[in-house]
Amino acid sequence: MNTLEVLAKPFVKRLFVARFISNFGNGMGPIALAFGILALPNGSANMLGLVLGVTTILFLIMAPFGGVIADKYGRARMVGITDMAAGLALFVQVAYFATGDVPLWVLLVTNGFFGLMWGIFWPAFTGVIPAVVPEAGLQKGNALNSFVANLGIILGAAAAGILIDIFGVAFTLAIDAASFFIAGVLVFSFRHLTPRIEHSENTVLDDLRHGWKVFISFRWIVIIVGAFSFIVMCWAAAENVLGPLIALEHFNGPKSWSFVISAESAGLIVGSLIAIKVKPKFPMRFLMLSSFTITFYIWSLAKPQSLLLIAFGAFLFGITLDLWGTLWYTALQRKVPRESLSRVASFDAMGSMMFKPIGLAIAAPMSALVGIENFLQILAAVTVVAIVLPLLDPQVRNMSYEDFTKK
């Protein structure tokens, strides 16, 4: 199935427009929030880590239930509802930033609620692509979704530094909030494609147990998710907390960090173009080996190197991230039973993000204790171990779309 045939399917274009809009906001939101918090009278790297950590913890709490909710009540419906609800909650945060006085509890409540909605959105969205794209076009559909989403991120990240500098944090965060709401309305409009289950005798715990059994029946999924929990921990500490600090201390603050994140987003675009064409015989082996780009990216922050070298590291990692997004979800969509897909995706999300709050929480105190450079070197070393160990397992090395099923 070629690209034009995928795009010709009903509702595909509407889905991709929604993804572009929400990710335009996503591109600027984290940058605006980071520098907005650091600029508060009581703002600090510890506060930033706490806010981001609470968001992730509530995401982790909701994610397994999010998969059950999505499978039971309709995936497109829940994607639309959670996007709209998240947008409305973020407008509350915008109102406080507009006054210049943002109590910690406001940051924790609004971003915590966002984490809860994210915990439903993520597993729900995994099942939306297969609902609008035939199985023969799944890899291209996932790659095209990544392309438009990443295009939104790169434009949003590029705009963030300029918008913060000219209009301020509140205005930039308002665009982020509006993008979620608009995208939610668009996806909610084709909720009939993933209808709710009308009659089910299973309880929530029954559905959770079933999803868990399906998840652990795929050893290659469990191993890779476990490895990524450590990789995401290191990435979060380096990029979400220490990166903005390095930009403030050594470069030009928001504009410099916006440049780095834009480079990462450009890598996502390149990765999505590669993902449309690439057909590795052993996709998990290919993806794990490509993940050494995170090691290089974190190492480039450690000195720090020149801004261009850091941006280059972010660019390479962006390519890897998108290849993971396309090939990994294509693997899940092909190998996991369709009726269990959102529940398995929820355990994937929960496992991959499991140690992210730890990375966010320890970034500031550990860098103060051992120094930012030394701590970043430690993080880089941890990523090497997390990449190499899964490759020792033959099910990871030899997993193939064609001849590998369960077990």
Side-chain angles (χ1 to χ4, degrees), residues 269-314:
I269 293 286
V270 174
S272 60
L273 294 174
I274 295 172
I276 292 173
K277 297 292 186 181
V278 70
K279 294 180 180 179
K281 183 177 180 181
F282 302 112
M284 297 305 112
R285 185 190 306 179
F286 171 77
L287 289 171
M288 291 307 297
L289 289 173
S290 75
S291 299
F292 282 110
T293 54
I294 185 60
T295 307
F296 176 74
Y297 178 27
I298 294 175
W299 171 83
S300 71
L301 286 166
K303 289 292 184 185
Q305 305 295 328
S306 72
L307 188 64
L308 284 176
L309 188 60
I310 294 172
F312 180 63

Side-chain angles (χ1 to χ4, degrees), residues 31-43:
I31 298 172
L33 182 63
F35 287 99
I37 290 175
L38 292 174
L40 292 173
N42 59 334

Side-chain angles (χ1 to χ4, degrees), residues 59-99:
F59 163 79
L60 293 173
I61 292 170
M62 179 57 78
F65 299 98
V68 174
I69 292 168
D71 285 337
K72 188 179 290 287
Y73 295 106
R75 293 156 185 167
R77 174 181 283 103
M78 296 317 302
V79 166
I81 289 173
T82 54
D83 261 352
M84 289 187 284
L88 291 174
L90 292 178
F91 272 119
V92 175
Q93 178 175 258
V94 169
Y96 277 92
F97 268 107
T99 68

Side-chain angles (χ1 to χ4, degrees), residues 229-239 294 298 359 378-380 382-383:
S229 65
F230 289 95
I231 292 172
V232 171
M233 176 186 74
C234 298
W235 173 33
E239 185 174 89
I294 185 60
I298 294 175
I378 292 169
L379 294 176
V382 171
T383 64

